[in-house]
Amino acid sequence: MTSAFLNRVVELTNVERAQLGLAPLTFNPQLAAAAQVHSANMGMRDFMAHNDPVDGTKPADRVTNQGYNYQIVAENVAGGQLTPEQVVIEWMNSPSHRVNIVNPTVTEIGVGYHFQENDTGNVNYSHYWAQVFATPMEQGPPQPRPQTHTPTPPPTDGITLISQPLTPNSQGFFDLTTNVERVQLAPGALNGYQLGLRALDGDDVIIGSAEGEAINGNGGRDLIYGTGGNNSLRGGKSDDTLVGGAGNDIINGNNDNDVVFGGAGNDILRGGKGHDHLYGEGGDDVLIGDFGADVLSGGAGADLFVLRRDTVVGVVDPLEADYITDFNRAGGDRIGLTDGLTVNDITYQRFVDVDNNGTPDALIQINSTNEILGIVLNTNPLELNGMFQAASQDILTTG
């Protein structure tokens, strides 16, 4: 092995990045040392994996052992390829490896190669490769996403009271009319309407009664209040604000960038598509970010934060991941996994201080693809041990 051999891997990697308009990676000797240690161990210890079965080290451990202080770290491994050209081509043809090579958030690289002569073990590739990507801590953290929202009381001006349904239809909805867009429901107003109230495409204000209703904002920027009872609230299209009440509510922002408040009960909150803010507030809530870069705040109670794999984009940029702002292990909070993922399929590691308060955060990634499931703010990764569970299919289909 010569340095020119490994430098060729770096060169070919940067060629692939340049074709996508990405900045080249800088060679880092500490990352190279971590990669070389792992390449040699895979050959001598007879395995091919990211986690070393002998000493238990993971990519982040090996980088830290070399004195590298990282924001984010990722690794590619391979076996059997004879040349730098061959190994880079095969990595690029593998989606889970390609995502690391073209990750816009990493800035440095190290490469390791080990030739195991007379390789007679159970794993006998003879040629063992490792490629380590990282961004150092001192390059400055990504900026946090903006503001904390506070629910405002329902408005009182210009509100029309609906005490009886006026326009029945065969679809099970009570439809608002075009000239009535700010309404409050009296108890019993939706009796006989199995699917509840449906607004039109304008910017509506809808205030539920103390009984609890099903309300669909449909199109427009809607402001929907559940008030009392067990409500089912859906924002529809555009950027909506939905506020649950004292009951156990099911609230779905649906499309676009929504703000959702659960209220005092045990609520199920869904962001839907778009970049949403979910606030569980009181009670034992379930918060599901769904798709997009969402901010999940559980509030009081034992909350379940459900992190879904964003199959639309395959998140590799920390700025596009879901954030959990107030995980409380002692308070009974847990993190739900979906799509058949288990704790054995993920890695959770120390990450950059994304909210700039002096406390590092925990990054949760899928091992096989390095996709980011979420970032838990102000949390030591060790606090997440034993905190993961499968999210039931019933929860995922609710709302």
Side-chain angles (χ1 to χ4, degrees):
M1 180 194 70
T2 66
S3 59
F5 198 61
L6 299 182
N7 287 340
R8 179 61 174 160
V9 175
V10 177
E11 178 185 352
L12 293 170
T13 297
N14 282 332
V15 167
E16 298 292 346
R17 290 175 63 87
Q19 291 177 356
L20 296 177
L22 299 174
L25 300 176
T26 302
F27 174 82
N28 181 279
Q30 292 168 302
L31 299 182
Q36 188 58 41
V37 166
H38 193 52
S39 298
N41 284 343
M42 285 192 294
M44 294 185 292
R45 296 176 176 178
D46 196 31
F47 74 97
M48 172 62 61
H50 294 291
N51 297 348
D52 191 316
V54 176
D55 59 23
T57 57
K58 300 177 181 180
D61 301 320
R62 293 187 287 272
V63 167
T64 300
N65 290 343
Q66 297 298 327
Y68 188 100
N69 193 22
Y70 65 88
Q71 291 184 37
I72 189 169
V73 64
E75 180 184 75
N76 285 343
V77 296
Q81 298 81 7
L82 302 182
T83 66
E85 288 76 10
Q86 185 180 1
V87 73
V88 172
I89 288 173
E90 294 192 16
W91 275 331
M92 286 298 295
N93 287 336
S94 166
S96 62
H97 296 91
R98 183 182 186 276
V99 72
N100 290 328
I101 289 176
V102 299
N103 186 343
T105 66
V106 296
T107 59
E108 297 184 336
I109 187 175
V111 180
Y113 168 78
H114 174 75
F115 175 64
Q116 183 81 6
E117 192 173 6
N118 299 321
D119 193 359
T120 57
N122 294 321
V123 177
N124 51 5
Y125 290 109
S126 297
H127 305 268
Y128 296 85
W129 300 84
Q131 193 179 36
V132 178
F133 309 86
T135 298
M137 184 71 76
E138 58 267 21
Q139 286 195 358
Q143 295 301 307
R145 286 197 291 276
Q147 74 276 12
T148 298
H149 301 82
T150 302
T152 58
T156 57
D157 293 338
I159 300 296
T160 299
L161 178 66
I162 297 180
S163 57
Q164 293 181 345
L166 302 175
T167 312
N169 65 37
S170 60
Q171 297 176 310
F173 287 105
F174 168 56
D175 288 321
L176 289 184
T177 60
T178 55
N179 60 344
V180 180
E181 296 184 338
R182 298 169 64 89
V183 301
Q184 180 164 4
L185 301 175
L190 298 182
N191 286 350
Y193 287 82
Q194 181 182 358
L195 301 179
L197 181 147
R198 179 173 61 184
L200 299 177
D201 289 338
D203 299 341
D204 305 302
V205 176
I206 305 171
I207 305 169
S209 74
E211 289 188 344
E213 289 90 13
I215 301 174
N216 187 338
N218 213 359
R221 299 167 61 93
D222 303 313
L223 180 57
I224 302 175
Y225 291 88
T227 310
N230 302 326
N231 299 283
S232 176
L233 311 180
R234 177 181 286 263
K237 297 179 180 179
S238 200
D239 302 343
D240 306 306
T241 299
L242 301 95
V243 183
N248 303 325
D249 304 311
I250 299 171
I251 308 177
N252 188 339
N254 208 4
N255 293 308
D256 297 301
N257 307 321
D258 306 307
V259 180
V260 178
F261 299 94
N266 302 326
D267 307 306
I268 297 177
L269 312 181
R270 305 192 66 139
K273 297 178 180 178
H275 305 325
D276 308 304
H277 285 70
L278 309 184
Y279 300 90
E281 299 189 295
D284 301 337
D285 304 309
V286 178
L287 297 90
I288 309 169
D290 281 326
F291 303 114
D294 306 309
V295 178
L296 314 180
S297 302
D303 303 309
L304 177 65
F305 300 94
V306 179
L307 299 178
R308 298 197 68 179
R309 186 178 195 170
D310 197 330
T311 55
V312 176
V313 296
V315 174
V316 295
D317 184 347
L319 294 180
E320 295 299 322
D322 288 351
Y323 291 176
I324 299 173
T325 69
D326 62 346
F327 185 82
N328 185 350
R329 178 188 179 107
D333 291 350
R334 297 293 183 269
I335 297 175
L337 301 176
T338 66
D339 303 306
L341 294 175
T342 70
V343 69
N344 296 322
D345 301 312
I346 62 172
T347 298
Y348 42 99
Q349 58 180 296
R350 177 191 57 116
F351 188 56
V352 64
D353 177 19
V354 297
D355 51 357
N356 297 322
N357 67 352
T359 304
D361 310 308
L363 176 79
I364 304 172
Q365 284 182 292
I366 301 173
N367 292 330
S368 61
T369 64
N370 290 308
E371 293 172 74
I372 300 173
L373 282 179
I375 297 172
V376 186
L377 301 181
N378 309 318
T379 299
N380 187 314
L382 295 177
E383 295 179 35
L384 300 183
N385 289 338
M387 295 292 100
F388 295 91
Q389 66 184 60
S392 73
Q393 191 62 32
D394 289 344
I395 288 177
L396 296 178
T397 57
T398 299

